[in-house]
Amino acid sequence: MSQIPAELKYVSSHEWIRHEGDGLVTVGITDHAQELLGDVVFVEAPELDEEVSADDEIAVVESVKAASDIYAPIDGTITEVNEELEDSPELVNSDPYGDGWMFKMQLADQADLDKLMSAEQYAEEIADE
């Protein structure tokens, strides 16, 4: 069974969002998503300083099974990417909510966080998969 930390927010495309304060968020893919992908072998990060809108395709994760697009969970600007994933993409599998984070964003509107799913809502969303 997948881990779904209660303190995070989620979107149906399987990204998680951790609010760091001052409108800054860290984003990665969920434990459920990495389980579906299998062994991650490559992560294509989004462009720094890129302004993105919710649901934009902004990155790619490749595994031994498939390639999967990563979507912006919310409107904002990419402020940092996890450069460790360049040499160690397997961190997405081993620690999806920690060292396997993908990028950080400055939110366009912090109120958008209220539109995201809670852990309970995300658990219900993936229960049928």
Side-chain angles (χ1 to χ4, degrees), residues 42-53:
F42 178 74
V43 176
E44 179 184 312
E47 295 290 321
L48 278 178
D49 299 321
E50 182 179 4
E51 288 188 23
V52 298
S53 297

Side-chain angles (χ1 to χ4, degrees), residues 7 12-13 24 28 35 38 71 74-75 84 91-92 94-95 98 108 110 114 116 120 124:
E7 70 276 9
S12 58
S13 55
L24 184 69
E35 285 175 357
Y71 299 90
I74 204 162
D75 297 348
E84 284 190 48
L91 289 171
V92 172
S94 62
D95 193 10
Q110 195 163 316
D114 296 333
L116 304 176
E120 295 80 20
E124 288 176 21

Side-chain angles (χ1 to χ4, degrees), residues 7-25:
E7 70 276 9
L8 303 178
K9 295 284 194 171
Y10 300 88
V11 292
S12 58
S13 55
H14 306 295
E15 289 84 16
W16 57 261
I17 301 90
R18 176 183 300 117
H19 188 226
E20 306 290 356
D22 293 330
L24 184 69
V25 295

Side-chain angles (χ1 to χ4, degrees), residues 1 19 26 28 33 41 50 55 59 67 87 90 92 95 98 101 122:
M1 185 169 170
H19 188 226
T26 301
V41 296
E50 182 179 4
D55 302 325
D87 295 326
E90 68 277 2
V92 172
D95 193 10
W101 64 274
Y122 181 69

